[in-house]
Amino acid sequence: MFRRLFFLLFICLFLDVAGGVAASGDRLFVTGSGVNVRSGPETTRSVLMQIGEGHELTEIERQQDWVRVKIAWIGGSGWIHESLLTSEVPADAARQRPPAYHNFVQDIEQLNLDILDILGDVFFARVAYRGEGRVELTATPAWLSAPAEERRRDVEALYALWKAHYDGDESTLVIVDPRGEPVTQHP
């Protein structure tokens, strides 16, 4: 009896591992750009926000083909279709990131939280380190629709913030649209 029970438990465990079934608390990464985060597990549910490729999320639960994820930098959650998520770490995440990068990301997360409180939206969906002092921010439609003069001031302030964290010789801030096309670069 115990031998059979052990065998059945072993088979169930093997199926879970072999099938790559994710579980609550697992790290997931967005595979598309401009991915909709919805209020519920259906395409008819409202879009809460869009996030960019490579963004790291934490799984909360699953319902059929939908995954409810925790979005740490806004302190909330939403639903994304599982076809737009992977457990594979994106290639750029494997690059050596300086400690300054992590501090800069925390500042951008706080900025997004402040903007969310004021405008009900966020300005940047992703921060990526591209090596050699180059940091890239993926802008949301909310930031892209701001007047050009305001965006110019934002870029200068963001670059000053990055430069304050990064102590290397060369540093660059690049802002891209949700498709990954460059919008601006400083300096």
Side-chain angles (χ1 to χ4, degrees), residues 49-51 73-74 108-127 137-147 150-151 154-155 158 175-178:
M49 66 185 309
Q50 289 187 328
I51 55 178
W73 51 274
I74 65 164
I108 297 301
E109 290 173 353
Q110 185 59 54
L111 171 69
N112 271 334
L113 286 172
D114 294 344
I115 298 299
L116 185 65
D117 284 344
I118 297 166
L119 302 177
D121 209 340
V122 295
F123 278 178
F124 302 102
R126 180 175 184 229
V127 182
L137 293 165
T138 302
T140 64
W143 187 81
L144 292 168
S145 66
E150 287 181 27
R151 290 193 323 247
D154 290 348
V155 169
L158 290 166
I175 297 183
V176 299
D177 66 18

Side-chain angles (χ1 to χ4, degrees), residues 36 38-47 66 79 81:
N36 291 330
R38 297 189 177 272
S39 61
E42 299 172 347
T43 56
T44 58
R45 301 298 292 267
S46 63
V47 175
W66 291 85
W79 292 87
H81 194 270

Side-chain angles (χ1 to χ4, degrees), residues 159-171:
Y159 176 72
L161 182 63
W162 171 238
K163 187 70 177 153
H165 286 302
Y166 185 73
D167 58 2
D169 294 333
E170 299 285 324
S171 61

Side-chain angles (χ1 to χ4, degrees), residues 63-86:
Q63 284 188 17
Q64 296 169 353
D65 295 338
W66 291 85
V67 183
R68 184 171 168 229
V69 293
K70 178 181 177 188
I71 306 166
W73 51 274
I74 65 164
S77 67
W79 292 87
I80 299 177
H81 194 270
E82 71 179 357
S83 66
L84 300 168
L85 299 168
T86 183

Side-chain angles (χ1 to χ4, degrees), residues 25-32 35 37 49 51-60 67-78 80 84-90 92-94 97 101-102 105 109 124-128 138:
D26 283 354
R27 285 183 350 161
L28 298 173
F29 300 90
V30 177
T31 61
V35 170
V37 178
M49 66 185 309
I51 55 178
E53 184 175 3
H55 195 88
E56 184 176 336
L57 308 166
T58 305
E59 180 173 338
I60 297 173
V67 183
R68 184 171 168 229
V69 293
K70 178 181 177 188
I71 306 166
W73 51 274
I74 65 164
S77 67
I80 299 177
L84 300 168
L85 299 168
T86 183
S87 59
E88 299 293 321
V89 178
D92 74 321
R97 295 175 175 162
Y101 169 79
H102 301 288
V105 169
E109 290 173 353
F124 302 102
R126 180 175 184 229
V127 182
T138 302

